[in-house]
Amino acid sequence: MLDRLPLLIGLRYVRAKRRNHFISFISLTSMLGLMLGVAVLILVLSVMNGFDHELRTRILGMVPHTKIESRSGLVDWQPLAEQLMQRERVIGAAPYVEQQGMFSVGGRNEGAMVNGIHPEWEDRVSIIGSHMRQGSLDDLQPGEWNIVLGALLARHLGVGVGDRVTLLVPEASITPAGVFPRLKRFTVSGIFNVGADLDANLAYANIEDMQTLARLGDAVGGLRLELNDLFAASSETRAIIDELGSGYRGFDWTFSHGNLFQAIQMEKRMIALLLTVIIAVAAFNIVSTLVMVVTDKHADIAILRTIGATPRSIMGIFVVQGLAIGVIGIAVGVGLGILLALTISDLIGWVESTFGIQFLDAGVYFISDLPSRLHWEDVRNIVAAAFGLTFLSTLYPAWRASRVQPAEVLRYE
């Protein structure tokens, strides 16, 4: 019976209605603090995981993992592509021609990067084909001067499929009449939408048309490579350049979007640290709760000691009581956090459609909706940290209870 004493009495103290309502209020506050801290931490980490996933799939699905260029231009690019495809980490290769320019139509001007692509090869290195809202990449036939625009870029220009746009490139044409900027009229044949900032500053045209516009002849700007591990892009790029020789140069995705990925990882760690402090504050509120309970239960402790309870048993009673408060708060917080993490995207979408509010503007942020991905490893770590802090918060009050001297207490009873 004495072996079960800490569990039975500790749980009884949790269920019993206390005469001191202030102690009950502090216990409830500690429980609610743990619940909210755990729930918010699960939700926030899930949203940060969602941003991380969207960065990898949307942004890095459109941006090449690695680009290989030649200082003299790549003329015979197909043998090089086949050579690079033999590498273990390379799973796709496609040629490209990049041209920075400005689109103009009806007095509206928007700058953008125009990628000259080969429609049959592009699906090997990009997700653009699966995000076409109108038209198809197959419409980019050589000599037809068709172009595919991002949804935000088309909206800013006020154009749709079938409309004509003028592309001005930052190069001059020298004619007998003088120096004039180079420009070319394109027909909008498609619109893509990936829900990212690339929708506002990216366009696609046929690679042969862009070779003509850039006066490259048969050369291409370089090769875009898709890797099976995007985090190996830097080392793989260096290995490829070492293999090809000094006439080549390479750029991986960390040059253009590495800072964004690092910022997300840093924010995730800092937010996790800050919210863990909130959990710690809630957990250590249990200290004040148990200290007041110990003070209130001095007589009970003294009686238990006189009938044979050991200091270890007395200590166990209040450890059980504190852990019970913590476990209830953590369990409810985990359930609430998982529910919010799984439904937050739909909830934010409903709020946006109902009240006409847009929380994330793709023109400002790199995505237009709030993503969320629940990782069970995060949930496990959060529960372990919260439980550990709760256990630590019970030790001092329980130790004080075990030090109560029955003779001193019962002298005045």
Side-chain angles (χ1 to χ4, degrees), residues 64-84:
H65 292 175
T66 295
K67 295 192 297 185
I68 303 299
E69 299 178 353
S70 173
R71 292 182 174 85
S72 57
L74 291 177
V75 177
D76 196 11
W77 58 268
Q78 290 184 332
L80 178 60
E82 294 174 359
Q83 175 186 342
L84 295 178

Side-chain angles (χ1 to χ4, degrees), residues 266-324:
M266 178 62 71
E267 289 175 3
K268 181 180 177 180
R269 288 191 289 267
M270 294 305 299
I271 290 175
L273 177 61
L274 292 175
L275 293 179
T276 301
V277 172
I278 295 176
I279 294 178
V281 171
F284 283 107
N285 277 341
I286 297 176
V287 175
S288 58
T289 301
L290 293 182
V291 167
M292 288 187 287
V293 171
V294 169
T295 303
D296 189 52
K297 300 294 184 180
H298 267 192
D300 295 354
I301 295 171
I303 293 173
L304 288 172
R305 289 294 307 277
T306 59
I307 62 176
T310 64
R312 182 176 179 180
S313 298
I314 299 299
M315 188 173 180
I317 291 172
F318 294 96
V319 169
V320 168
Q321 182 183 0
L323 288 179

Side-chain angles (χ1 to χ4, degrees), residues 356-373:
I357 302 172
Q358 187 173 15
F359 290 98
L360 296 175
D361 184 357
V364 179
Y365 304 96
F366 72 92
I367 61 173
S368 57
D369 56 353
L370 188 66
S372 177
R373 288 182 66 85

Side-chain angles (χ1 to χ4, degrees), residues 102-109 114 140-141 143-149 157 159 162-169 181-189 204-206 209-210 212-213:
M102 177 178 291
F103 287 102
S104 178
V105 56
R108 299 180 181 181
N109 301 304
V114 183
L140 301 178
Q141 296 301 316
E144 296 186 3
W145 296 98
N146 289 332
I147 197 164
V148 173
L149 302 179
L157 292 172
V159 297
D163 292 333
R164 305 270 289 177
V165 296
T166 301
L167 175 64
L168 291 84
V169 298
R182 297 180 59 197
L183 52 87
K184 182 62 182 179
R185 297 275 286 179
F186 284 85
T187 301
V188 179
S189 63
Y204 289 91
N206 185 273
D209 293 342
M210 295 307 297
T212 301
L213 184 62

Side-chain angles (χ1 to χ4, degrees), residues 344-390:
I344 188 64
S345 298
D346 295 333
L347 180 61
I348 293 298
W350 177 82
V351 171
E352 289 181 337
S353 61
T354 303
F355 298 99
I357 302 172
Q358 187 173 15
F359 290 98
L360 296 175
D361 184 357
V364 179
Y365 304 96
F366 72 92
I367 61 173
S368 57
D369 56 353
L370 188 66
S372 177
R373 288 182 66 85
L374 181 65
H375 289 177
W376 294 109
E377 181 181 358
D378 289 339
V379 176
R380 185 183 70 240
N381 293 338
I382 292 168
V383 171
F387 186 83
L389 291 171
T390 301

